[in-house]
Amino acid sequence: MNQEEKIKQFIENIYSNSQYNFNDSRYPEVTLTYAQTLDGFISGKPNTPPLLISGKESMLMTHCLRNKNEAIMIGIGTVLNDNPQLNVRQLTGFNNGGNVHNPQPVILDSKLRFPLDCKLLKNYREYKSKIEQKVEGYEKLTEIKPPIIFVNENQYDKTKAEILINYNVEINILKNDNNNNNNNNNNGSSLDITKVLSILKSKYNIHSVMVEGGAQVIRTFLVNASLIQHIIITIGPFFIGNGVKAVGDTIEKSELSETSESLPRLENTQSFTLGQDIIIIGQPVLSS
Ligand SMILES: NC(=O)C1=CN([C@@H]2O[C@H](COP(=O)(O)OP(=O)(O)OC[C@H]3O[C@@H](n4cnc5c(N)ncnc54)[C@H](OP(=O)(O)O)[C@@H]3O)[C@@H](O)[C@H]2O)C=CC1
Ligand SMILES: Nc1nc(O)c(N)c(N[C@@H]2O[C@H](COP(=O)(O)O)[C@@H](O)[C@H]2O)n1
């Protein structure tokens, strides 16, 4: 077995050895996963270039997790800062007819700040054009799906939405609900994450979602930890001293969901090293 096969096998075991069978008809199965430094940062200061925390091997694990999950969710902050691709290009068989798949990108973006020139859209449009023109080898390309974006009904630009819809981007409009249990650091404009998840399941038939970040999205899930089934954290073996904290600033009690009085702890934990990185895996449990 090569390293990729070993990591894939390991990931299969994480999901199949879960201590409980995930069986919630309302929501997809959620894996919260990100990479942080030893001092708890997921990136450098805002508006600085993306910080590579994962080593070669743990980045391969991230691509295997993307391959394993049907969808990948990030906040618009990450799109704007990193311009990510969110694909599985490091896996054997990518764009070569192999048995790998790109996850469906899902973006939380109340005000529809999604840039028209970002890689998520550019990659999709190039893929679609090659398929339509049947360019040589087109049948071996790994499918790229247009993003699904969630916006707030009172905050998004409808003209921009029309442009994106013409590019096959799915725009889901959520009503403003000030009583939701989400990230209240966000001027009350956060999208209701339970609604987002239930739409992904009921409208798009998405059964598994990998939540990749950034900090505000991680925070939203941790304060609503009953929505998470697996947590997988890569720790890069270095300090940076300053930057964007994985979980942000102090969490106020009012932010926590009704089902929990604190942030979760992990049970069924496993830890191991991949290259020089430390991987921590567990299932969140809530104290009520
Ligand atoms: N090391 C790692 O593994 C990773 C690191 N990162 C890093 O994270 C940083 C970005 O983090 P951050 O700035 O916090 O941005 P996020 O990617 O977390 O996006 C946050 C934005 O998403 C929108 N949003 C809408 N609804 C919600 C909701 N319910 N909960 C949370 N956000 C919501 C809000 O914008 P609006 O009000 O406009 O809707 C909010 O400002 C980047 O520097 C990136 O490099 C990102 C992913 C992984
Ligand atoms: N697993 C992991 N390790 C790191 O060191 C990272 N910086 C990230 N970042 C996440 O990956 C996205 C970039 O993805 P692409 O390489 O463009 O496919 C970035 O936006 C973060 O979500 N992840």
Side-chain angles (χ1 to χ4, degrees):
M1 257 199 221
N2 65 26
Q3 181 141 51
E4 181 178 326
E5 286 161 347
K6 279 189 203 154
I7 293 174
K8 276 187 178 160
Q9 183 63 60
F10 186 79
I11 285 171
E12 282 308 317
N13 290 342
I14 295 173
Y15 288 92
S16 59
N17 290 345
S18 284
Q19 298 295 305
Y20 61 93
N21 280 331
F22 179 70
N23 190 17
D24 189 325
S25 55
R26 295 168 298 170
Y27 311 124
E29 185 168 5
V30 169
T31 302
L32 175 66
T33 182
Y34 55 88
Q36 66 168 58
T37 62
L38 283 173
D39 45 353
F41 295 102
I42 58 166
S43 66
K45 288 183 186 165
N47 307 317
T48 57
L51 178 70
L52 191 57
I53 298 170
S54 300
K56 190 162 53 72
E57 297 85 357
S58 44
M59 196 50 101
L60 186 60
M61 179 189 76
T62 295
H63 282 234
C64 290
L65 283 166
R66 289 177 178 178
N67 183 55
K68 173 72 185 165
N69 284 276
E70 291 177 12
I72 183 166
M73 182 187 291
I74 56 170
I76 187 61
T78 298
V79 178
L80 294 172
N81 196 77
D82 296 3
N83 195 10
Q85 305 192 63
L86 308 182
N87 60 17
V88 297
R89 63 192 178 279
Q90 295 194 4
L91 300 191
T92 307
F94 178 75
N95 277 352
N96 195 22
N99 186 24
V100 293
H101 97 110
N102 288 318
Q104 164 68 64
V106 175
I107 317 296
L108 304 178
D109 183 12
S110 320
K111 305 172 192 76
L112 200 53
R113 292 183 282 157
F114 189 82
L116 295 173
D117 60 353
C118 69
K119 287 182 189 163
L120 284 171
L121 195 53
K122 189 166 155 275
N123 288 356
Y124 164 68
R125 295 187 67 204
E126 280 173 11
Y127 163 80
K128 184 166 165 276
S129 154
K130 284 179 186 160
I131 296 288
E132 284 169 358
Q133 291 170 42
K134 299 193 172 179
V135 300
E136 195 186 335
Y138 79 95
E139 69 286 356
K140 289 189 174 168
L141 295 175
T142 306
E143 184 187 0
I144 297 181
K145 299 166 189 90
I148 294 175
I149 303 182
F150 286 86
V151 300
N152 181 297
E153 64 168 348
N154 299 322
Q155 296 185 305
Y156 75 103
D157 175 343
K158 296 184 179 56
T159 311
K160 186 171 180 186
E162 285 305 320
I163 296 170
L164 286 164
I165 290 166
N166 279 330
Y167 291 151
N168 294 338
V169 171
E170 291 268 341
I171 307 282
N172 287 275
I173 303 157
L174 297 194
K175 284 197 180 358
N176 208 4
D177 177 4
N178 291 326
N179 295 322
N180 74 50
N181 286 321
N182 294 312
N183 176 0
N184 294 332
N185 263 6
N186 196 25
N187 304 324
S189 72
S190 285
L191 299 163
D192 182 336
I193 205 65
T194 55
K195 278 190 196 155
V196 169
L197 289 175
S198 75
I199 290 171
L200 291 178
K201 182 84 180 271
S202 58
K203 180 172 171 188
Y204 297 103
N205 199 26
I206 287 173
H207 293 87
S208 56
V209 179
M210 165 180 177
V211 176
E212 206 173 83
Q216 288 195 45
V217 172
I218 294 168
R219 184 185 181 101
T220 287
F221 275 87
L222 287 177
V223 299
N224 292 279
S226 61
L227 297 171
I228 311 170
Q229 281 70 54
H230 313 276
I231 293 185
I232 303 176
I233 299 172
T234 297
I235 301 179
F238 59 94
F239 302 90
I240 53 167
N242 212 336
V244 176
K245 286 185 195 162
V247 189
D249 294 326
T250 315
I251 301 233
E252 303 297 336
K253 220 174 170 94
S254 58
E255 283 185 70
L256 293 163
S257 75
E258 287 154 10
T259 53
S260 169
E261 283 185 359
S262 59
L263 294 182
R265 51 180 286 127
L266 298 187
E267 66 178 20
N268 304 318
T269 54
Q270 298 177 62
S271 60
F272 60 99
T273 51
L274 255 185
Q276 293 296 304
D277 299 344
I278 302 144
I279 313 293
I280 293 176
I281 297 178
Q283 291 175 311
V285 279
L286 298 168
S287 53
S288 53

